[in-house]
Amino acid sequence: MSGPTQIELSIGGMTCASCAARVEKKLNRMDGVTATVNYATEKARVLYDGDVTPEDLVATVERTGYTAALPEPPRTDDTDTDAAVDPLRTRLLVSAVLTLPVVALGMVPAWQFEYWQWLSLTLAAPVVVWGGLPFHRAAWTNLRHGAATMDTLVSLGTGAAFLWSLYALFLGTAGEPGTVHGFSLAVTRTDGSGDVYLEAAAGVTTFLLAGRYAEARAKRRAGSALRALLEMGAREVSVLRGGVETRVPVEALGVGELFVVRPGERVATDGEVVEGSSAVDASMLTGESVPVEVGPGDAVVGATVNAGGRLVVRATRVGADTQLAQMARLVEEAQNGKAAVQRLADRVSGVFVPVVLALAAATLGFWIGTGAGLAGAFPAAVAVLIIACPCALGLATPTALMVGTGRGAQLGILVRGPEVLESTRRVDTVVLDKTGTVTTGRMSLVDVAAADGEDAGDVLRRAGALEDASEHPIAAAVAAAARERCGELPAVAGFRAEAGLGVRGTVEGVPVVVGRPSLVGALPPGLAAAVAAADAAGRTAVAVGWDGAARGVLVVADTVKPTSAAAVRQLRDLGLRPVLLTGDSAATAGAVAAEVGIDEVVAEVLPQDKVDVVRRLQAEGRTVAMVGDGVNDAAALAQADLGLAVGTGTDVAIQASDLTLVRGDLRAAADAVRLARRTLSTIKGNLFWAFAYNVAAIPLAMAGLLNPMVAGAAMALSSVFVVTNSLRLRRFRPLPGNAHAASALPAGRVREHAGR
């Protein structure tokens, strides 16, 4: 018999983490099946043997009350997610508009005109019935399978409040003209025939719809990292067929075919250079800050950028076999491999909901048994459901998230969702990508060493003039520094590039050579020492010569950001252990680590190795935060317990992360961790008090001592407390000296990532 088969199912109809647990339990009860269900991504990863078919798995999920389907291939648009989120937004907006006057009329006696209660009924009915349909539908599904969740409590509470209001209006005294509901804090018995709960029914429904919509928007971004990866690749390619270039979609390119890559174009797929030479910028994929020189026989990777001359490449891997596609799979596996997020309110619902239902039933039975009659017993039972109805619970997480993430956005810190916050409390290790995170990610001139008798400014000016005619990134760094320090550069005649070595040309009538030391010739001892020192520090040395002699050495490097050392100190102060992770050489990584104060370094790693490093640290019992900015970091960011993306980097890294640091300032990482921890503690405080208000009032409701205004006031008070407590997050301040602002991203991009 062959080994187990793995399949991934898309699960529909889940409304809370307990739904995911129920599906997972049902699947695992099948013989030969091992399943994990992720509520956040709405996917089930299933291992099954040959006696089980995918149809059996789908049928089991459907018998549990949910839908299951094989996922479609990743798409590069948001059509499906828009279709899921937009109706919920419409439902929320309509409900909010209708609920506002209902709440105002019910809570402000001065506004209660002669027939106000009938207007309230007209406005509240569509909110409770149509607006609350997702809760009622989920409650019915749970009921059919003998389960109870928060949806059950919401549906029963709002439904009971609405139905009793109908009874009071049509059969009681609440519908009489001129009826007024005044506030009274007296704890007294009531027969309920004159009480309406329309503002409670509509308000709870709208508040919880707002929470459900915020959650749906967070899920909407679940596949954004994969879409961003797919969009990175070339869409068209110039294929050489019969010696003629033909422009075709990249999907039409086959293994073994030749294709052309011009300067500035992306390499269409993985291949081997057969003609031409150039520098290829692979930093987006590999993290290597120095462009790689390639020539005939060298391998190139799809989605990297040709920074120099024309290349002819033979395709060696296409489609799903390319390194880019493999990285997309790494990101997806890391995202789906995370434990299902179980919100605190859902974790207690397994106990809280059945207990409340039992208490409501017991209350009804007790009062009927004591002779109070249905008119006296039913209001007490309804009061139990209403006072326990999780209005404040529905606000506890969304309001703290809204305020916390809003404050974070002001500081250039974008938080993905509630699952992020639980990770920050336990994080003890922070893995820092080097290129673009600790360093600037751009080559720049750091030193000019002139031979005896030569002027350093003259060496830089002539070299800059010659390099200004080249497209190489190192040449661009030299030319930019020369223009900044020396002003306008002289013209160049007879410019010629030496493949993989450097450039030649005539500057002010003098033949000048810039490039590798071997191109210039023998170096005097002083310049040779400068080259050796640069190599030891992981920097790039460029020799300059004219008239047959070496005249100077230019040292180019990816420089450390001025704030990185302070950021590392702040992360240490938060109890985090920093680790530097990079695809660069050990010498380069060691020099950077020493400059910023990091002791643990892992260098010369490929993208898949970065994921392995994070997994190794996690296997050692560490809770890992990862900070990165490139495509090569995306899978590691997704694998880490907490992923922080530098917002000046790529969309792939940002979408795969949990927190985004809009500016390139690494100090924002420390403030991001502090803000996330503060927001989590606020959410926990909100949940505690939301339950405390309800639990404390339930005995009064059971005793029949809560009139409708006291019940409404208690519910409102718990909601007001939760909102007020959340608003305290607006006073969060960054650490002294850390001034952040969200100005590094365009406004649209800030809104896009803030809304994930």
Side-chain angles (χ1 to χ4, degrees):
M1 182 183 293
S2 61
T5 303
Q6 178 172 297
I7 194 174
E8 193 174 73
L9 300 176
S10 295
I11 308 297
M14 296 190 297
T15 59
C16 63
S18 56
C19 296
R22 190 174 306 114
V23 175
E24 187 172 299
K25 184 185 298 184
K26 290 286 187 181
L27 287 172
N28 284 323
R29 283 179 179 172
M30 300 175 67
D31 292 336
V33 173
T34 303
T36 57
V37 179
N38 190 321
Y39 168 61
T41 59
E42 297 182 320
K43 290 182 180 180
R45 178 171 294 178
V46 186
L47 285 173
Y48 63 97
D49 59 27
D51 297 329
V52 179
T53 66
E55 289 73 20
D56 295 334
L57 300 173
V58 171
T60 298
V61 174
E62 290 177 345
R63 282 196 300 271
T64 311
Y66 305 91
T67 62
L70 295 175
E72 296 180 359
R75 300 177 54 165
T76 58
D77 58 67
D78 287 333
T79 304
D80 290 342
T81 49
D82 287 342
V85 174
D86 288 348
L88 187 56
R89 180 175 58 216
T90 302
R91 197 180 297 270
L92 170 61
L93 291 176
V94 172
S95 297
V97 170
L98 296 176
T99 297
L100 185 60
V102 175
V103 173
L105 289 173
M107 306 302 283
V108 183
W111 294 351
Q112 294 172 1
F113 53 89
E114 188 172 5
Y115 292 102
W116 69 272
Q117 65 271 54
W118 296 102
L119 176 62
S120 292
L121 175 64
T122 304
L123 296 175
V127 175
V128 176
V129 177
W130 174 76
L133 187 60
F135 306 110
H136 305 320
R137 187 184 293 124
W140 173 246
T141 299
N142 293 327
L143 179 64
R144 284 167 45 212
H145 295 88
T149 66
M150 282 307 205
D151 287 316
T152 307
L153 197 56
V154 171
S155 182
L156 278 177
T158 56
F162 183 71
L163 290 175
W164 185 259
S165 298
L166 291 179
Y167 163 79
L169 286 169
F170 287 98
L171 301 178
T173 60
E176 296 177 358
T179 298
V180 175
H181 277 187
F183 275 101
S184 172
L185 297 181
V187 180
T188 56
R189 291 282 310 279
T190 174
D191 67 1
S193 62
D195 303 329
V196 292
Y197 296 86
L198 294 170
E199 74 281 354
V204 168
T205 300
T206 301
F207 280 137
L208 295 181
L209 276 175
R212 186 67 56 85
Y213 174 66
E215 182 179 54
R217 277 185 59 85
K219 287 183 181 180
R220 177 181 180 174
R221 298 292 175 181
S224 294
L226 299 179
R227 285 194 296 272
L229 272 173
L230 292 171
E231 290 170 357
M232 276 200 62
R235 297 179 183 271
E236 291 187 334
V237 58
S238 296
V239 184
L240 279 177
R241 292 173 176 167
V244 178
E245 287 189 32
T246 305
R247 198 76 175 167
V248 300
V250 71
E251 294 81 7
L253 182 64
V255 173
E257 287 195 288
L258 300 179
F259 62 94
V260 176
V261 188
R262 295 183 176 82
E265 288 185 340
R266 292 189 182 275
V267 178
T269 192
D270 298 357
E272 178 181 315
V273 178
V274 297
E275 181 183 320
S277 60
S278 181
V280 173
D281 181 0
S283 59
M284 301 283 277
L285 286 171
T286 67
E288 186 74 35
S289 56
V290 179
V292 180
E293 301 285 350
V294 296
D298 292 329
V300 290
V301 178
T304 56
V305 179
N306 178 14
R310 178 180 182 271
L311 296 175
V312 178
V313 181
R314 176 180 289 109
T316 56
R317 291 185 294 188
V318 297
D321 296 327
T322 64
Q323 185 171 333
L324 184 67
Q326 291 169 3
M327 290 178 65
R329 283 197 295 273
L330 280 173
V331 172
E332 184 173 27
E333 289 171 6
Q335 284 183 333
N336 291 339
K338 286 185 176 180
V341 177
Q342 296 211 346
R343 296 170 297 174
L344 295 177
D346 287 322
R347 284 206 283 265
V348 300
S349 66
V351 175
F352 183 70
V353 175
V355 167
V356 169
L357 295 178
L359 291 176
T363 301
L364 183 66
F366 173 79
W367 286 112
I368 291 177
T370 57
L374 186 61
F378 193 70
V382 170
V384 172
L385 290 175
I386 290 177
I387 201 64
C389 197
C391 177
L393 285 179
L395 290 172
T397 297
T399 55
L401 275 177
M402 182 171 61
V403 179
T405 55
R407 179 58 181 150
Q410 292 175 339
L411 301 175
I413 301 165
L414 308 181
V415 183
R416 179 186 288 265
E419 66 273 17
V420 175
L421 307 175
E422 295 195 48
S423 303
T424 61
R425 178 170 48 94
R426 302 185 300 271
V427 165
D428 53 32
T429 301
V430 57
V431 177
L432 303 174
D433 169 59
K434 181 188 76 68
T435 306
T437 303
V438 176
T439 65
T440 62
R442 298 183 304 274
M443 305 300 290
S444 59
L445 183 70
V446 296
D447 191 23
V448 179
D452 292 340
E454 297 293 339
D455 177 66
D458 190 43
V459 170
L460 177 59
R461 189 174 66 88
R462 296 192 182 200
L466 188 57
E467 293 281 49
D468 197 33
S470 172
E471 296 175 335
H472 198 287
I474 291 179
V478 171
R483 188 174 289 105
E484 179 182 348
R485 301 182 191 181
C486 307
E488 188 174 348
L489 301 177
V492 176
F495 175 84
R496 186 173 81 256
E498 301 280 348
L501 295 174
V503 293
R504 299 176 181 272
T506 301
V507 180
E508 297 178 330
V510 178
V512 180
V513 180
V514 180
R516 297 183 184 274
S518 58
L519 184 66
V520 175
L523 300 180
L527 296 184
V531 172
D535 291 341
R539 296 172 172 177
T540 302
V542 179
V544 183
W546 60 80
D547 289 338
R551 308 291 178 169
V553 168
L554 309 178
V555 181
V556 179
D558 178 12
T559 55
V560 173
K561 295 177 181 178
T563 58
S564 292
V568 170
R569 287 195 301 271
Q570 292 174 1
L571 291 169
R572 285 188 185 276
D573 291 341
L574 288 172
L576 306 181
R577 175 181 173 185
V579 178
L580 188 67
L581 183 64
T582 179
D584 267 353
S585 66
T588 301
V592 171
E595 187 172 344
V596 299
I598 297 177
D599 302 323
E600 190 172 348
V601 180
V602 183
E604 301 177 3
V605 290
L606 296 175
Q608 56 267 36
D609 297 327
K610 289 191 175 185
V611 178
D612 293 338
V613 170
V614 172
R615 287 176 178 158
R616 175 175 58 80
L617 293 171
Q618 291 170 329
E620 293 173 1
R622 302 198 215 176
T623 303
V624 180
M626 169 78 189
V627 187
D629 75 316
V631 174
N632 60 303
D633 303 315
L637 285 166
Q639 175 64 38
D641 299 283
L642 179 68
L644 298 94
V646 177
T648 50
T650 65
D651 277 347
V652 178
I654 291 171
Q655 300 290 2
S657 69
D658 301 307
L659 292 167
T660 299
L661 315 177
V662 174
R663 293 178 63 198
D665 190 342
L666 187 58
R667 292 177 300 178
D671 286 326
V673 172
R674 290 176 55 245
L675 176 61
R677 289 177 176 177
R678 180 83 58 83
T679 306
L680 176 63
S681 65
T682 300
I683 289 174
K684 287 186 172 182
N686 287 347
L687 290 171
F688 170 78
W689 287 108
F691 274 114
Y693 276 110
N694 291 348
V695 171
I698 284 176
L700 293 176
M702 294 179 65
L705 299 177
L706 278 185
N707 66 41
M709 287 301 101
V710 173
M715 192 186 308
L717 183 59
S718 64
S719 300
V720 168
F721 179 88
V722 161
V723 173
T724 304
N725 191 43
S726 298
L727 288 174
R728 292 169 56 238
L729 287 168
R730 296 171 65 180
R731 299 200 296 268
F732 176 85
R733 294 287 181 269
L735 290 168
N738 293 9
H740 311 309
S743 59
L745 283 181
R749 198 170 171 203
V750 169
R751 288 193 298 271
E752 174 189 352
H753 295 301
R756 289 176 304 164

